[in-house]
Structure formats: C-alpha cells, structure tokens
Amino acid sequence: MNILAAEAHNPLLPPVGEIVVGLITFGILLFVLIKFVFPQLEKTFVARREAIEGGIERAEAMQAEAKAALEHYRAQLAEAQAEAAKIRDDARAEGQQIIEELRAQAQAESARIVARGEEQLTASRQQVLNELRGQIGTLAVDLAGRVVGESLADDARRSGTVDRFLSELDGMSATTGSADGRGGSTAYVPQDAR
C-alpha cells in the first residue's frame, strides 16, 4: 500500500503540512526582518550617507580653505619677491654710493700724497742746493786761493766771493740754458783770480 500511496503522491508538490510550516516560518522571519533588521540597515545606510555627505562637505570646505591659503601664500610670495627686489636695488645703490665715496677718498688721499711728495721733494731739493752751494763755495774759495796764490781764509772776504760766484753761476746757467737749450755749464773763473 505504501507503494500505491507513494504513487498517488506527486513528488513535485511538497506535503501541505510542510507548506504551512514553511509559510509560518517565512512570516516570522519576514516580521523579524521588517521589525528589527531593516530599520537597523536603514539607520546604518542613513548614517553612512550622512557621513559621506559630511565628508564631501568637509573636503569642499578644506579645499576652499586650501585655495584661500594658496592665494594668501602667493600674495605673500609676490610681496616677498617685490621686497627682495627693492632690497637688492637699495643694496646696489648703496654699494655704488660706497664705491663713489671710496673713489673720492682715494683721489683725495692720492692728491694729498702727491702734494706731500712734492713738498718733500722741494724741501729735499732746497736742502741739496744749500749743501751744494756751501760745498761749491768752499771749493771755489780754495781754488781761487790757489789760483790767486793767497789764502782766502778771511770769512768776510770769502763770503762775498762765494756769494758773487754763486750769483754769477746762477746767471750763467740761466743764460746758457735758455741759449742752447741744454742748460750746460761753462768753466768759471772768479773775478778775483783774473
């Protein structure tokens, strides 16, 4: 009989009791899902969406702040470059002014050194001339004494002879120097020796 009962039963259709139990279980499961799980999923979805939207808003705000900071940085950079250019130009102008001042000081110092050198040269020349005059005078008096044959040891006489000799020597060198252009000297014989 079981075989006949098994043949009468369609294997594609489940038994009615299983269908009822399956429908009740499905209803309970559906109720639990609708009552507890779906609201939690909805809350999580809303929270995630708000977090994403808030993150996007925060990113946009931060991007706007970054753009403002970048513009501020660029403005500061342009200002710093302008200030650096101004400082560089001021330094060049100051350097040029210092160079001009140093050049003027060097020229003044050079002129002072040249003037001092000329003064020293003039003083040395005068000193040498005075020494030479004294030596020439002494030699002239000695030579004149030898030529004349008498001693010119008398100071007054010797002084007059030396002065006259030097005057004539200066006159001759000025005349000879201007006449032949060489300024050569000629032999001099004192008047006392003639």
Side-chain angles (χ1 to χ4, degrees), residues 104-120:
Q105 287 177 356
Q107 288 175 348
E109 183 71 16
S110 173
R112 187 184 65 78
I113 290 171
V114 167
R116 186 172 176 187
E118 288 176 355
E119 289 173 3
Q120 288 178 350

Side-chain angles (χ1 to χ4, degrees), residues 37-47 49:
V37 176
F38 289 156
Q40 283 295 49
L41 287 175
E42 185 67 28
K43 284 181 186 176
T44 304
F45 176 72
V46 168
R49 186 177 61 196

Side-chain angles (χ1 to χ4, degrees), residues 18-32:
E18 284 182 21
I19 292 177
V20 172
V21 170
L23 284 174
I24 292 174
T25 306
F26 179 73
I28 291 172
L29 181 62
L30 186 62
F31 176 76
V32 169

Side-chain angles (χ1 to χ4, degrees), residues 4-194:
L4 288 177
E7 285 182 14
H9 181 318
N10 189 355
L12 295 174
L13 290 175
V16 178
E18 284 182 21
I19 292 177
V20 172
V21 170
L23 284 174
I24 292 174
T25 306
F26 179 73
I28 291 172
L29 181 62
L30 186 62
F31 176 76
V32 169
L33 286 174
I34 291 173
K35 186 72 173 166
F36 299 107
V37 176
F38 289 156
Q40 283 295 49
L41 287 175
E42 185 67 28
K43 284 181 186 176
T44 304
F45 176 72
V46 168
R48 185 170 283 174
R49 186 177 61 196
E50 287 176 356
I52 290 172
E53 288 175 358
I56 291 172
E57 289 174 0
R58 283 193 306 269
E60 289 174 353
M62 291 174 75
Q63 188 176 10
E65 287 178 20
K67 282 184 181 179
L70 180 63
E71 290 300 320
H72 181 69
Y73 168 75
R74 285 182 180 164
Q76 284 182 337
L77 182 63
E79 182 179 325
Q81 287 174 341
E83 186 174 337
K86 182 180 180 278
I87 289 171
R88 191 171 47 244
D89 291 342
D90 290 346
R92 281 187 188 136
E94 187 175 333
Q96 191 65 28
Q97 182 181 2
I98 289 171
I99 288 171
E100 292 298 325
E101 288 175 0
L102 289 175
R103 186 175 290 141
Q105 287 177 356
Q107 288 175 348
E109 183 71 16
S110 173
R112 187 184 65 78
I113 290 171
V114 167
R116 186 172 176 187
E118 288 176 355
E119 289 173 3
Q120 288 178 350
L121 182 63
T122 303
S124 296
R125 185 176 178 200
Q126 190 62 39
Q127 181 181 2
V128 167
L129 282 175
N130 289 339
E131 288 176 7
L132 284 175
R133 280 180 179 233
Q135 289 176 359
I136 289 173
T138 305
L139 288 173
V141 169
D142 288 343
L143 283 173
R146 287 183 193 163
V147 169
V148 172
E150 67 180 70
S151 172
L152 297 175
D154 182 18
D155 284 338
R157 224 170 137 192
R158 184 169 63 183
S159 161
T161 304
V162 168
D163 287 342
R164 191 173 59 244
F165 172 74
L166 291 176
S167 298
E168 289 177 10
L169 185 63
D170 284 342
M172 286 177 64
S173 67
T175 305
T176 306
S178 62
D180 63 5
R182 287 182 286 156
S185 62
T186 58
Y188 173 75
V189 180
Q191 290 181 354
D192 290 346
R194 290 184 190 166

